[in-house]
Amino acid sequence: MMVKLIKTYINPTLSEALEIISKAVSSKELTIIVGECSVDYQGRSESRLTLGERVIIIKQDGAFLVHRPTGYSPVNWQPATSIIETRLDKDKLIIMAVRRKPRETIWVYLTRIYTIITGKLVDNGEFIMYMDEHEIRDILYEHPELIEEGLKIIEKEKKIGEGYADLFGIDARNTPVIIEIKRVTATREAMLQLYNYVQTYQKQTGVKPRGILVAPTITSSAIESAYKLGLEWKEINLQKIWKYRKNKNIKHGTLFDFLKNKR
Amino acid sequence: MMVKLIKTYINPTLSEALEIISKAVSSKELTIIVGECSVDYQGRSESRLTLGERVIIIKQDGAFLVHRPTGYSPVNWQPATSIIETRLDKDKLIIMAVRRKPRETIWVYLTRIYTIITGKLVDNGEFIMYMDEHEIRDILYEHPELIEEGLKIIEKEKKIGEGYADLFGIDARNTPVIIEIKRVTATREAMLQLYNYVQTYQKQTGVKPRGILVAPTITSSAIESAYKLGLEWKEINLQKIWKYRKNKNIKHGTLFDFLKNKR
DNA sequence: TATTATATCTCGGGT
DNA sequence: ACCCGAGGTATAATA
């Protein structure tokens, strides 16, 4: 049986680290470095980060992350890199990571290294996300009565101009209806997005459609915008929507509780 | 002299790991775990991730990240957590991380652990970002002639309705001008944002202002929108803007080169 | 490749 | 606490 090879190096010298890291990177291993460094970035913007202790992760596809000891976001990063070069310069181990498009570069100047982990991770796990906007849209497609009695949906993802309206249908009086769905609180921005569809549709067909923004909650200024732009909105209960989902065989107890507690 | 205490544990048993992790978390140390796990998430949405090898990072403020071996984004995360609980259940080490607002929970089920790193990282480094939208706005505030000859800027971040216009001024003919700035390619969305300000301003004052979208590049459908909405746009050269910056003492050689190569 | 819209967006700033 | 907008947003889908 193959033994998993995850290697750990404690307090390596910078020249030892140079060899470890360059070897790991060239064989596309995941590399984690805990140490003290400063970081420069230049590309779409430019940044400087002075000395401090951080975690650097170089992933198997070249994704590059520099994490400070707090917070969700990396302080510097590259989503993917084509070139990763390492070299020693005096008392610093320099890692340069270059992204092709857009052309961007990170330089990490390591002054001290506490730990390095290298190894090939195998992850064939399946990731499934539930209750995203797509799923809500599909449920409302099947159950338009949740938006308005008498509403008939004709099309999902209807192309209007350059964009796509979430749902398109006709109401009880045969007026076309364009529907924009948000799974989180809808802001003025969502109302403007809907307005764009309504306006483009009218321009293209000569018929003025209704525009309905559907969301669990809507900000007051979005409602104000709706009045100004001649749009409508409908607050929906996610818990109710959730009950109409197709894959009822899947257990979602806690999400249900979560939604219940919100309402 | 205080010796830096970064601890590394190799191939711990799950019960050893339980103790290591719970101790590290309770003393607010940074914790990195490399191992095999599955992950559930429930909160604003819900997800399942089946077994695979991953890197788990618990930061000193409770930020919680589960990273797969590739890609920029964590597959599961919490920006900050108030409760982190660990326990053994049969042959699994379970880490539960709860966020208060919104109420969200992650469960990590570890089946094998290769390495754990724990320790308090000290990072007082200063992070400076150059050439963000704020800096561009400030330069254009000082040099409105870069947008249009005869333009006078009256106000930065002028509140119009519930939002804020980047710049507000009057042109050579004393017509009010609302300016929206983008540091990247401006889309239809930016044009709609500007339209909202223009419309709100007109509603509030009775005076129809000009609206100018300022960006390095503008998509064709944004230009189309401009025609429809009666707005204007001005493409600006970031390299040129860059020359007007105040802190010229700072070296920015490569960004300059970057911008030069783009134009 | 460019464009569009979503995201468990995160984060900071303002009211 | 809500709201608003930027972000080196990243990412997926689509023309």
PDB file of all heavy atoms in Angstrom, chain A residues 41 44 76-78 104 164 188 221, chain D residues 3-5 7-11 14-15:
ATOM      1  N   TYR A  41       3.060  43.615  -4.350  1.00  0.00           N
ATOM      2  CA  TYR A  41       2.188  43.183  -5.438  1.00  0.00           C
ATOM      3  C   TYR A  41       2.096  44.283  -6.484  1.00  0.00           C
ATOM      4  O   TYR A  41       1.985  45.458  -6.140  1.00  0.00           O
ATOM      5  CB  TYR A  41       0.793  42.866  -4.903  1.00  0.00           C
ATOM      6  CG  TYR A  41      -0.279  43.013  -5.948  1.00  0.00           C
ATOM      7  CD1 TYR A  41      -0.476  42.030  -6.917  1.00  0.00           C
ATOM      8  CD2 TYR A  41      -1.061  44.157  -5.999  1.00  0.00           C
ATOM      9  CE1 TYR A  41      -1.445  42.189  -7.901  1.00  0.00           C
ATOM     10  CE2 TYR A  41      -2.034  44.320  -6.973  1.00  0.00           C
ATOM     11  CZ  TYR A  41      -2.210  43.336  -7.919  1.00  0.00           C
ATOM     12  OH  TYR A  41      -3.163  43.497  -8.893  1.00  0.00           O
ATOM     13  N   ARG A  44      -3.051  44.850 -11.561  1.00  0.00           N
ATOM     14  CA  ARG A  44      -4.184  45.744 -11.770  1.00  0.00           C
ATOM     15  C   ARG A  44      -4.105  46.914 -10.804  1.00  0.00           C
ATOM     16  O   ARG A  44      -4.627  47.984 -11.056  1.00  0.00           O
ATOM     17  CB  ARG A  44      -5.491  44.973 -11.548  1.00  0.00           C
ATOM     18  CG  ARG A  44      -5.811  44.008 -12.647  1.00  0.00           C
ATOM     19  CD  ARG A  44      -6.911  43.072 -12.241  1.00  0.00           C
ATOM     20  NE  ARG A  44      -6.502  42.165 -11.178  1.00  0.00           N
ATOM     21  CZ  ARG A  44      -7.299  41.282 -10.608  1.00  0.00           C
ATOM     22  NH1 ARG A  44      -8.562  41.205 -10.981  1.00  0.00           N
ATOM     23  NH2 ARG A  44      -6.853  40.482  -9.675  1.00  0.00           N
ATOM     24  N   ASN A  76      -2.714  39.115   0.185  1.00  0.00           N
ATOM     25  CA  ASN A  76      -2.220  39.099  -1.195  1.00  0.00           C
ATOM     26  C   ASN A  76      -2.489  37.721  -1.779  1.00  0.00           C
ATOM     27  O   ASN A  76      -2.550  36.737  -1.038  1.00  0.00           O
ATOM     28  CB  ASN A  76      -0.722  39.413  -1.272  1.00  0.00           C
ATOM     29  CG  ASN A  76      -0.414  40.887  -1.110  1.00  0.00           C
ATOM     30  OD1 ASN A  76       0.128  41.320  -0.100  1.00  0.00           O
ATOM     31  ND2 ASN A  76      -0.776  41.663  -2.107  1.00  0.00           N
ATOM     32  N   TRP A  77      -2.591  37.657  -3.088  1.00  0.00           N
ATOM     33  CA  TRP A  77      -2.969  36.372  -3.694  1.00  0.00           C
ATOM     34  C   TRP A  77      -2.768  36.396  -5.202  1.00  0.00           C
ATOM     35  O   TRP A  77      -2.579  37.451  -5.797  1.00  0.00           O
ATOM     36  CB  TRP A  77      -4.438  36.078  -3.392  1.00  0.00           C
ATOM     37  CG  TRP A  77      -5.368  36.946  -4.154  1.00  0.00           C
ATOM     38  CD1 TRP A  77      -5.916  36.697  -5.378  1.00  0.00           C
ATOM     39  CD2 TRP A  77      -5.837  38.248  -3.783  1.00  0.00           C
ATOM     40  NE1 TRP A  77      -6.696  37.753  -5.783  1.00  0.00           N
ATOM     41  CE2 TRP A  77      -6.659  38.719  -4.834  1.00  0.00           C
ATOM     42  CE3 TRP A  77      -5.634  39.063  -2.673  1.00  0.00           C
ATOM     43  CZ2 TRP A  77      -7.283  39.959  -4.799  1.00  0.00           C
ATOM     44  CZ3 TRP A  77      -6.251  40.297  -2.641  1.00  0.00           C
ATOM     45  CH2 TRP A  77      -7.071  40.736  -3.682  1.00  0.00           C
ATOM     46  N   GLN A  78      -2.850  35.244  -5.789  1.00  0.00           N
ATOM     47  CA  GLN A  78      -3.046  35.075  -7.223  1.00  0.00           C
ATOM     48  C   GLN A  78      -3.991  33.883  -7.384  1.00  0.00           C
ATOM     49  O   GLN A  78      -3.745  32.822  -6.807  1.00  0.00           O
ATOM     50  CB  GLN A  78      -1.744  34.731  -7.955  1.00  0.00           C
ATOM     51  CG  GLN A  78      -0.614  35.703  -7.775  1.00  0.00           C
ATOM     52  CD  GLN A  78      -0.663  36.856  -8.757  1.00  0.00           C
ATOM     53  OE1 GLN A  78      -1.739  37.327  -9.111  1.00  0.00           O
ATOM     54  NE2 GLN A  78       0.489  37.308  -9.183  1.00  0.00           N
ATOM     55  N   GLU A 104       0.173  39.988 -13.601  1.00  0.00           N
ATOM     56  CA  GLU A 104       0.328  40.457 -12.228  1.00  0.00           C
ATOM     57  C   GLU A 104       1.428  39.670 -11.549  1.00  0.00           C
ATOM     58  O   GLU A 104       1.637  38.503 -11.868  1.00  0.00           O
ATOM     59  CB  GLU A 104      -0.967  40.262 -11.436  1.00  0.00           C
ATOM     60  CG  GLU A 104      -2.164  40.883 -12.090  1.00  0.00           C
ATOM     61  CD  GLU A 104      -3.346  40.951 -11.154  1.00  0.00           C
ATOM     62  OE1 GLU A 104      -4.095  39.980 -11.044  1.00  0.00           O
ATOM     63  OE2 GLU A 104      -3.510  42.002 -10.514  1.00  0.00           O
ATOM     64  N   TYR A 164     -29.773  38.548 -19.240  1.00  0.00           N
ATOM     65  CA  TYR A 164     -30.773  37.506 -19.108  1.00  0.00           C
ATOM     66  C   TYR A 164     -31.697  37.797 -17.940  1.00  0.00           C
ATOM     67  O   TYR A 164     -31.243  37.946 -16.809  1.00  0.00           O
ATOM     68  CB  TYR A 164     -30.108  36.144 -18.869  1.00  0.00           C
ATOM     69  CG  TYR A 164     -29.279  35.689 -20.033  1.00  0.00           C
ATOM     70  CD1 TYR A 164     -27.989  36.149 -20.197  1.00  0.00           C
ATOM     71  CD2 TYR A 164     -29.808  34.823 -20.978  1.00  0.00           C
ATOM     72  CE1 TYR A 164     -27.222  35.759 -21.286  1.00  0.00           C
ATOM     73  CE2 TYR A 164     -29.064  34.431 -22.063  1.00  0.00           C
ATOM     74  CZ  TYR A 164     -27.767  34.895 -22.214  1.00  0.00           C
ATOM     75  OH  TYR A 164     -27.032  34.515 -23.288  1.00  0.00           O
ATOM     76  N   ARG A 188     -31.141  48.630  -4.296  1.00  0.00           N
ATOM     77  CA  ARG A 188     -31.440  49.481  -5.430  1.00  0.00           C
ATOM     78  C   ARG A 188     -30.809  48.924  -6.705  1.00  0.00           C
ATOM     79  O   ARG A 188     -31.366  49.017  -7.792  1.00  0.00           O
ATOM     80  CB  ARG A 188     -30.839  50.861  -5.139  1.00  0.00           C
ATOM     81  CG  ARG A 188     -31.531  52.011  -5.743  1.00  0.00           C
ATOM     82  CD  ARG A 188     -31.200  53.259  -4.934  1.00  0.00           C
ATOM     83  NE  ARG A 188     -29.917  53.160  -4.271  1.00  0.00           N
ATOM     84  CZ  ARG A 188     -28.847  53.863  -4.630  1.00  0.00           C
ATOM     85  NH1 ARG A 188     -28.903  54.651  -5.672  1.00  0.00           N
ATOM     86  NH2 ARG A 188     -27.736  53.755  -3.939  1.00  0.00           N
ATOM     87  N   SER A 221     -34.698  51.891   0.008  1.00  0.00           N
ATOM     88  CA  SER A 221     -34.373  52.715  -1.156  1.00  0.00           C
ATOM     89  C   SER A 221     -34.625  51.961  -2.455  1.00  0.00           C
ATOM     90  O   SER A 221     -34.826  52.560  -3.509  1.00  0.00           O
ATOM     91  CB  SER A 221     -32.936  53.227  -1.087  1.00  0.00           C
ATOM     92  OG  SER A 221     -32.036  52.232  -1.483  1.00  0.00           O
TER      93      SER A 221
ATOM     94  P    DC D   3     -31.911  47.819   5.195  1.00  0.00           P
ATOM     95  OP1  DC D   3     -33.304  48.199   4.918  1.00  0.00           O
ATOM     96  OP2  DC D   3     -31.455  46.439   4.958  1.00  0.00           O
ATOM     97  O5'  DC D   3     -30.961  48.798   4.389  1.00  0.00           O
ATOM     98  C5'  DC D   3     -30.835  50.158   4.825  1.00  0.00           C
ATOM     99  C4'  DC D   3     -29.697  50.816   4.115  1.00  0.00           C
ATOM    100  O4'  DC D   3     -28.467  50.535   4.826  1.00  0.00           O
ATOM    101  C3'  DC D   3     -29.476  50.340   2.677  1.00  0.00           C
ATOM    102  O3'  DC D   3     -29.428  51.459   1.827  1.00  0.00           O
ATOM    103  C2'  DC D   3     -28.123  49.616   2.722  1.00  0.00           C
ATOM    104  C1'  DC D   3     -27.451  50.318   3.892  1.00  0.00           C
ATOM    105  N1   DC D   3     -26.395  49.524   4.564  1.00  0.00           N
ATOM    106  C2   DC D   3     -25.112  50.077   4.727  1.00  0.00           C
ATOM    107  O2   DC D   3     -24.887  51.208   4.286  1.00  0.00           O
ATOM    108  N3   DC D   3     -24.156  49.347   5.348  1.00  0.00           N
ATOM    109  C4   DC D   3     -24.445  48.125   5.805  1.00  0.00           C
ATOM    110  N4   DC D   3     -23.469  47.453   6.420  1.00  0.00           N
ATOM    111  C5   DC D   3     -25.748  47.550   5.649  1.00  0.00           C
ATOM    112  C6   DC D   3     -26.682  48.281   5.021  1.00  0.00           C
ATOM    113  P    DC D   4     -29.562  51.238   0.255  1.00  0.00           P
ATOM    114  OP1  DC D   4     -30.484  52.271  -0.240  1.00  0.00           O
ATOM    115  OP2  DC D   4     -29.796  49.808  -0.042  1.00  0.00           O
ATOM    116  O5'  DC D   4     -28.098  51.595  -0.245  1.00  0.00           O
ATOM    117  C5'  DC D   4     -27.485  52.809   0.206  1.00  0.00           C
ATOM    118  C4'  DC D   4     -26.014  52.760  -0.094  1.00  0.00           C
ATOM    119  O4'  DC D   4     -25.366  51.909   0.873  1.00  0.00           O
ATOM    120  C3'  DC D   4     -25.687  52.198  -1.478  1.00  0.00           C
ATOM    121  O3'  DC D   4     -25.074  53.205  -2.259  1.00  0.00           O
ATOM    122  C2'  DC D   4     -24.728  51.025  -1.202  1.00  0.00           C
ATOM    123  C1'  DC D   4     -24.283  51.268   0.240  1.00  0.00           C
ATOM    124  N1   DC D   4     -23.997  50.030   0.999  1.00  0.00           N
ATOM    125  C2   DC D   4     -22.733  49.840   1.561  1.00  0.00           C
ATOM    126  O2   DC D   4     -21.878  50.710   1.396  1.00  0.00           O
ATOM    127  N3   DC D   4     -22.492  48.715   2.269  1.00  0.00           N
ATOM    128  C4   DC D   4     -23.451  47.797   2.426  1.00  0.00           C
ATOM    129  N4   DC D   4     -23.166  46.705   3.138  1.00  0.00           N
ATOM    130  C5   DC D   4     -24.746  47.963   1.859  1.00  0.00           C
ATOM    131  C6   DC D   4     -24.980  49.089   1.158  1.00  0.00           C
ATOM    132  P    DG D   5     -24.925  52.986  -3.828  1.00  0.00           P
ATOM    133  OP1  DG D   5     -25.080  54.300  -4.462  1.00  0.00           O
ATOM    134  OP2  DG D   5     -25.758  51.840  -4.249  1.00  0.00           O
ATOM    135  O5'  DG D   5     -23.400  52.560  -3.955  1.00  0.00           O
ATOM    136  C5'  DG D   5     -22.385  53.422  -3.446  1.00  0.00           C
ATOM    137  C4'  DG D   5     -21.074  52.684  -3.375  1.00  0.00           C
ATOM    138  O4'  DG D   5     -21.137  51.661  -2.357  1.00  0.00           O
ATOM    139  C3'  DG D   5     -20.669  51.962  -4.670  1.00  0.00           C
ATOM    140  O3'  DG D   5     -19.317  52.262  -4.945  1.00  0.00           O
ATOM    141  C2'  DG D   5     -20.865  50.489  -4.343  1.00  0.00           C
ATOM    142  C1'  DG D   5     -20.538  50.485  -2.859  1.00  0.00           C
ATOM    143  N9   DG D   5     -21.087  49.346  -2.142  1.00  0.00           N
ATOM    144  C8   DG D   5     -22.335  48.799  -2.265  1.00  0.00           C
ATOM    145  N7   DG D   5     -22.537  47.771  -1.478  1.00  0.00           N
ATOM    146  C5   DG D   5     -21.335  47.629  -0.804  1.00  0.00           C
ATOM    147  C6   DG D   5     -20.933  46.686   0.176  1.00  0.00           C
ATOM    148  O6   DG D   5     -21.595  45.750   0.659  1.00  0.00           O
ATOM    149  N1   DG D   5     -19.628  46.903   0.604  1.00  0.00           N
ATOM    150  C2   DG D   5     -18.807  47.906   0.130  1.00  0.00           C
ATOM    151  N2   DG D   5     -17.569  47.965   0.656  1.00  0.00           N
ATOM    152  N3   DG D   5     -19.161  48.792  -0.783  1.00  0.00           N
ATOM    153  C4   DG D   5     -20.428  48.594  -1.207  1.00  0.00           C
ATOM    154  P    DG D   7     -12.171  49.894  -5.661  1.00  0.00           P
ATOM    155  OP1  DG D   7     -10.963  50.608  -5.224  1.00  0.00           O
ATOM    156  OP2  DG D   7     -12.617  49.946  -7.066  1.00  0.00           O
ATOM    157  O5'  DG D   7     -12.043  48.356  -5.254  1.00  0.00           O
ATOM    158  C5'  DG D   7     -11.707  48.017  -3.920  1.00  0.00           C
ATOM    159  C4'  DG D   7     -11.543  46.506  -3.816  1.00  0.00           C
ATOM    160  O4'  DG D   7     -12.846  45.875  -3.745  1.00  0.00           O
ATOM    161  C3'  DG D   7     -10.845  45.868  -5.020  1.00  0.00           C
ATOM    162  O3'  DG D   7      -9.940  44.865  -4.570  1.00  0.00           O
ATOM    163  C2'  DG D   7     -11.980  45.219  -5.808  1.00  0.00           C
ATOM    164  C1'  DG D   7     -12.922  44.825  -4.690  1.00  0.00           C
ATOM    165  N9   DG D   7     -14.327  44.704  -5.073  1.00  0.00           N
ATOM    166  C8   DG D   7     -15.015  45.488  -5.963  1.00  0.00           C
ATOM    167  N7   DG D   7     -16.278  45.142  -6.094  1.00  0.00           N
ATOM    168  C5   DG D   7     -16.419  44.062  -5.237  1.00  0.00           C
ATOM    169  C6   DG D   7     -17.554  43.260  -4.950  1.00  0.00           C
ATOM    170  O6   DG D   7     -18.698  43.345  -5.411  1.00  0.00           O
ATOM    171  N1   DG D   7     -17.268  42.262  -4.017  1.00  0.00           N
ATOM    172  C2   DG D   7     -16.034  42.065  -3.435  1.00  0.00           C
ATOM    173  N2   DG D   7     -15.941  41.066  -2.557  1.00  0.00           N
ATOM    174  N3   DG D   7     -14.954  42.817  -3.693  1.00  0.00           N
ATOM    175  C4   DG D   7     -15.223  43.780  -4.598  1.00  0.00           C
ATOM    176  P    DG D   8      -8.557  45.355  -3.890  1.00  0.00           P
ATOM    177  OP1  DG D   8      -8.182  44.279  -2.989  1.00  0.00           O
ATOM    178  OP2  DG D   8      -8.699  46.753  -3.383  1.00  0.00           O
ATOM    179  O5'  DG D   8      -7.507  45.364  -5.078  1.00  0.00           O
ATOM    180  C5'  DG D   8      -7.685  46.180  -6.188  1.00  0.00           C
ATOM    181  C4'  DG D   8      -7.402  45.428  -7.453  1.00  0.00           C
ATOM    182  O4'  DG D   8      -6.111  44.812  -7.353  1.00  0.00           O
ATOM    183  C3'  DG D   8      -8.392  44.299  -7.724  1.00  0.00           C
ATOM    184  O3'  DG D   8      -8.674  44.199  -9.120  1.00  0.00           O
ATOM    185  C2'  DG D   8      -7.679  43.043  -7.227  1.00  0.00           C
ATOM    186  C1'  DG D   8      -6.216  43.401  -7.453  1.00  0.00           C
ATOM    187  N9   DG D   8      -5.377  42.809  -6.429  1.00  0.00           N
ATOM    188  C8   DG D   8      -5.160  43.300  -5.167  1.00  0.00           C
ATOM    189  N7   DG D   8      -4.357  42.564  -4.464  1.00  0.00           N
ATOM    190  C5   DG D   8      -4.015  41.520  -5.312  1.00  0.00           C
ATOM    191  C6   DG D   8      -3.177  40.399  -5.091  1.00  0.00           C
ATOM    192  O6   DG D   8      -2.547  40.112  -4.079  1.00  0.00           O
ATOM    193  N1   DG D   8      -3.115  39.563  -6.221  1.00  0.00           N
ATOM    194  C2   DG D   8      -3.786  39.812  -7.401  1.00  0.00           C
ATOM    195  N2   DG D   8      -3.630  38.904  -8.340  1.00  0.00           N
ATOM    196  N3   DG D   8      -4.574  40.850  -7.607  1.00  0.00           N
ATOM    197  C4   DG D   8      -4.639  41.658  -6.531  1.00  0.00           C
ATOM    198  P    DT D   9     -10.201  44.464  -9.606  1.00  0.00           P
ATOM    199  OP1  DT D   9     -10.427  43.991 -10.968  1.00  0.00           O
ATOM    200  OP2  DT D   9     -10.410  45.863  -9.268  1.00  0.00           O
ATOM    201  O5'  DT D   9     -11.092  43.599  -8.584  1.00  0.00           O
ATOM    202  C5'  DT D   9     -11.264  42.198  -8.782  1.00  0.00           C
ATOM    203  C4'  DT D   9     -11.219  41.483  -7.462  1.00  0.00           C
ATOM    204  O4'  DT D   9     -12.278  41.962  -6.645  1.00  0.00           O
ATOM    205  C3'  DT D   9     -11.395  39.997  -7.628  1.00  0.00           C
ATOM    206  O3'  DT D   9     -10.125  39.378  -7.516  1.00  0.00           O
ATOM    207  C2'  DT D   9     -12.317  39.609  -6.478  1.00  0.00           C
ATOM    208  C1'  DT D   9     -13.063  40.891  -6.142  1.00  0.00           C
ATOM    209  N1   DT D   9     -14.408  41.025  -6.679  1.00  0.00           N
ATOM    210  C2   DT D   9     -15.358  40.079  -6.386  1.00  0.00           C
ATOM    211  O2   DT D   9     -15.116  39.112  -5.691  1.00  0.00           O
ATOM    212  N3   DT D   9     -16.601  40.309  -6.903  1.00  0.00           N
ATOM    213  C4   DT D   9     -16.988  41.371  -7.684  1.00  0.00           C
ATOM    214  O4   DT D   9     -18.149  41.484  -8.082  1.00  0.00           O
ATOM    215  C5   DT D   9     -15.966  42.328  -7.987  1.00  0.00           C
ATOM    216  C7   DT D   9     -16.286  43.551  -8.817  1.00  0.00           C
ATOM    217  C6   DT D   9     -14.746  42.115  -7.481  1.00  0.00           C
ATOM    218  P    DA D  10      -9.658  38.373  -8.695  1.00  0.00           P
ATOM    219  OP1  DA D  10      -8.224  38.147  -8.472  1.00  0.00           O
ATOM    220  OP2  DA D  10     -10.126  38.856  -9.992  1.00  0.00           O
ATOM    221  O5'  DA D  10     -10.452  37.049  -8.335  1.00  0.00           O
ATOM    222  C5'  DA D  10     -10.235  36.413  -7.091  1.00  0.00           C
ATOM    223  C4'  DA D  10     -11.245  35.296  -6.923  1.00  0.00           C
ATOM    224  O4'  DA D  10     -12.581  35.852  -6.964  1.00  0.00           O
ATOM    225  C3'  DA D  10     -11.196  34.247  -8.024  1.00  0.00           C
ATOM    226  O3'  DA D  10     -11.445  32.965  -7.455  1.00  0.00           O
ATOM    227  C2'  DA D  10     -12.304  34.674  -8.980  1.00  0.00           C
ATOM    228  C1'  DA D  10     -13.322  35.291  -8.035  1.00  0.00           C
ATOM    229  N9   DA D  10     -14.110  36.377  -8.649  1.00  0.00           N
ATOM    230  C8   DA D  10     -13.635  37.520  -9.217  1.00  0.00           C
ATOM    231  N7   DA D  10     -14.578  38.309  -9.679  1.00  0.00           N
ATOM    232  C5   DA D  10     -15.751  37.640  -9.391  1.00  0.00           C
ATOM    233  C6   DA D  10     -17.104  37.948  -9.630  1.00  0.00           C
ATOM    234  N6   DA D  10     -17.519  39.061 -10.236  1.00  0.00           N
ATOM    235  N1   DA D  10     -18.032  37.056  -9.210  1.00  0.00           N
ATOM    236  C2   DA D  10     -17.613  35.929  -8.606  1.00  0.00           C
ATOM    237  N3   DA D  10     -16.374  35.536  -8.335  1.00  0.00           N
ATOM    238  C4   DA D  10     -15.477  36.449  -8.757  1.00  0.00           C
ATOM    239  P    DT D  11     -11.251  31.662  -8.298  1.00  0.00           P
ATOM    240  OP1  DT D  11     -10.983  30.588  -7.345  1.00  0.00           O
ATOM    241  OP2  DT D  11     -10.297  31.945  -9.399  1.00  0.00           O
ATOM    242  O5'  DT D  11     -12.671  31.415  -8.958  1.00  0.00           O
ATOM    243  C5'  DT D  11     -13.801  31.248  -8.111  1.00  0.00           C
ATOM    244  C4'  DT D  11     -15.029  31.063  -8.951  1.00  0.00           C
ATOM    245  O4'  DT D  11     -15.538  32.358  -9.348  1.00  0.00           O
ATOM    246  C3'  DT D  11     -14.809  30.269 -10.235  1.00  0.00           C
ATOM    247  O3'  DT D  11     -15.535  29.068 -10.164  1.00  0.00           O
ATOM    248  C2'  DT D  11     -15.302  31.175 -11.358  1.00  0.00           C
ATOM    249  C1'  DT D  11     -16.134  32.213 -10.622  1.00  0.00           C
ATOM    250  N1   DT D  11     -16.128  33.553 -11.255  1.00  0.00           N
ATOM    251  C2   DT D  11     -17.339  34.185 -11.484  1.00  0.00           C
ATOM    252  O2   DT D  11     -18.406  33.682 -11.188  1.00  0.00           O
ATOM    253  N3   DT D  11     -17.241  35.420 -12.071  1.00  0.00           N
ATOM    254  C4   DT D  11     -16.084  36.062 -12.443  1.00  0.00           C
ATOM    255  O4   DT D  11     -16.121  37.166 -12.962  1.00  0.00           O
ATOM    256  C5   DT D  11     -14.860  35.351 -12.186  1.00  0.00           C
ATOM    257  C7   DT D  11     -13.548  35.987 -12.565  1.00  0.00           C
ATOM    258  C6   DT D  11     -14.936  34.152 -11.608  1.00  0.00           C
ATOM    259  P    DT D  14     -25.301  28.401 -19.611  1.00  0.00           P
ATOM    260  OP1  DT D  14     -26.674  28.117 -19.189  1.00  0.00           O
ATOM    261  OP2  DT D  14     -24.409  27.330 -20.090  1.00  0.00           O
ATOM    262  O5'  DT D  14     -25.366  29.513 -20.740  1.00  0.00           O
ATOM    263  C5'  DT D  14     -25.462  30.885 -20.391  1.00  0.00           C
ATOM    264  C4'  DT D  14     -24.848  31.750 -21.456  1.00  0.00           C
ATOM    265  O4'  DT D  14     -23.474  32.042 -21.125  1.00  0.00           O
ATOM    266  C3'  DT D  14     -24.815  31.117 -22.854  1.00  0.00           C
ATOM    267  O3'  DT D  14     -25.532  31.916 -23.752  1.00  0.00           O
ATOM    268  C2'  DT D  14     -23.329  31.064 -23.202  1.00  0.00           C
ATOM    269  C1'  DT D  14     -22.780  32.190 -22.336  1.00  0.00           C
ATOM    270  N1   DT D  14     -21.326  32.102 -22.059  1.00  0.00           N
ATOM    271  C2   DT D  14     -20.565  33.244 -22.143  1.00  0.00           C
ATOM    272  O2   DT D  14     -21.018  34.318 -22.435  1.00  0.00           O
ATOM    273  N3   DT D  14     -19.238  33.072 -21.876  1.00  0.00           N
ATOM    274  C4   DT D  14     -18.603  31.882 -21.542  1.00  0.00           C
ATOM    275  O4   DT D  14     -17.401  31.863 -21.328  1.00  0.00           O
ATOM    276  C5   DT D  14     -19.459  30.725 -21.470  1.00  0.00           C
ATOM    277  C7   DT D  14     -18.850  29.404 -21.109  1.00  0.00           C
ATOM    278  C6   DT D  14     -20.764  30.885 -21.726  1.00  0.00           C
ATOM    279  P    DA D  15     -25.881  31.415 -25.223  1.00  0.00           P
ATOM    280  OP1  DA D  15     -27.347  31.541 -25.391  1.00  0.00           O
ATOM    281  OP2  DA D  15     -25.210  30.154 -25.518  1.00  0.00           O
ATOM    282  O5'  DA D  15     -25.184  32.566 -26.082  1.00  0.00           O
ATOM    283  C5'  DA D  15     -25.493  33.930 -25.807  1.00  0.00           C
ATOM    284  C4'  DA D  15     -24.500  34.850 -26.476  1.00  0.00           C
ATOM    285  O4'  DA D  15     -23.181  34.649 -25.900  1.00  0.00           O
ATOM    286  C3'  DA D  15     -24.337  34.629 -27.971  1.00  0.00           C
ATOM    287  O3'  DA D  15     -24.199  35.893 -28.607  1.00  0.00           O
ATOM    288  C2'  DA D  15     -23.051  33.818 -28.091  1.00  0.00           C
ATOM    289  C1'  DA D  15     -22.245  34.355 -26.927  1.00  0.00           C
ATOM    290  N9   DA D  15     -21.291  33.392 -26.374  1.00  0.00           N
ATOM    291  C8   DA D  15     -21.533  32.092 -26.020  1.00  0.00           C
ATOM    292  N7   DA D  15     -20.488  31.473 -25.539  1.00  0.00           N
ATOM    293  C5   DA D  15     -19.486  32.431 -25.574  1.00  0.00           C
ATOM    294  C6   DA D  15     -18.139  32.407 -25.205  1.00  0.00           C
ATOM    295  N6   DA D  15     -17.532  31.332 -24.693  1.00  0.00           N
ATOM    296  N1   DA D  15     -17.414  33.537 -25.364  1.00  0.00           N
ATOM    297  C2   DA D  15     -18.022  34.622 -25.872  1.00  0.00           C
ATOM    298  N3   DA D  15     -19.284  34.762 -26.257  1.00  0.00           N
ATOM    299  C4   DA D  15     -19.969  33.613 -26.081  1.00  0.00           C
TER     300       DA D  15
END
